[in-house]
Amino acid sequence: MKGLRKKAVVLAAVAALAMSSLAGCSRDFTVDNNKVAAVVGDSEITLGVLNFYVRYDQIGFESYYGSYFGDNLWRVEVSEGVTLAESEKEAAIDVISQAYILEDHMSEYGVEITAEDVAKFEAVADKFIEANGEEACALISATKENIVEVLRLYEINA
């Protein structure tokens, strides 16, 4: 479980930034967390997991590139007719899909997600939700299940 603690700290910091960047938004940006966004083999990628992953990634991009591009960051074309927003959504689906594919081959590489690992993911999720509040968590699909699943996928990809 190398790096889990570091990931948890980064996740909490990113969440704090996400919440501050969402302050003042009055539109309802919540999604149906259980709706299937994509299917990889026998695994379904729910919209909630995808939304949480994308929102988590979004904050990293905004903190790194925001000073260069300002409010236009997500409208910047990264290739002809493709914005950064569109590109990152596709990249998120690719990364999550890759994790589900790797999951099918974990035993070949001696990778295992133990009950202890899951308990740690759940503890991180509980702290995240407690630190960010119900409304903010709803905006980014930060349910305990989605957070645990994203952490599990990060661990598989690690």
Side-chain angles (χ1 to χ4, degrees):
M1 291 296 303
K2 61 182 174 183
L4 177 62
R5 189 169 306 188
K6 183 178 177 183
K7 289 177 189 174
V9 170
V10 171
L11 185 65
V14 168
L17 287 171
M19 298 313 109
S20 66
S21 72
L22 295 173
C25 295
S26 60
R27 278 183 47 191
D28 181 14
F29 290 104
T30 58
V31 299
D32 180 353
N33 286 327
N34 297 316
K35 187 174 181 178
V36 176
V39 176
V40 179
D42 294 335
S43 301
E44 294 180 339
I45 301 171
T46 65
L47 195 51
V49 167
L50 181 60
N51 187 45
F52 181 71
Y53 183 94
V54 167
R55 293 291 190 128
Y56 176 80
D57 206 35
Q58 175 185 8
I59 298 306
F61 266 87
E62 287 179 358
S63 66
Y64 191 77
Y65 295 109
S67 62
Y68 297 112
F69 297 102
D71 293 338
N72 294 322
L73 173 65
W74 298 105
R75 291 185 292 271
V76 169
E77 283 194 17
V78 293
S79 63
E80 190 172 332
V82 178
T83 65
L84 179 60
E86 294 163 342
S87 173
E88 285 309 303
K89 288 175 190 175
E90 282 296 318
I93 291 172
D94 289 346
V95 168
I96 293 170
S97 296
Q98 178 181 354
Y100 283 116
I101 292 167
L102 289 172
E103 180 179 32
D104 292 339
H105 300 280
M106 286 179 10
S107 63
E108 297 169 28
Y109 299 102
V111 175
E112 180 181 334
I113 304 290
T114 65
E116 182 181 297
D117 296 335
V118 173
K120 289 176 183 177
F121 299 155
E122 289 173 347
V124 169
D126 289 339
K127 288 178 184 176
F128 182 94
I129 291 167
E130 182 181 320
N132 291 290
E134 187 178 321
E135 185 178 338
C137 286
L139 286 172
I140 63 170
S141 300
T143 65
K144 184 172 184 173
E145 297 78 19
N146 291 341
I147 296 169
V148 167
E149 182 64 2
V150 168
L151 289 172
R152 194 180 74 78
L153 295 173
Y154 275 132
E155 189 64 24
I156 290 169
N157 269 332

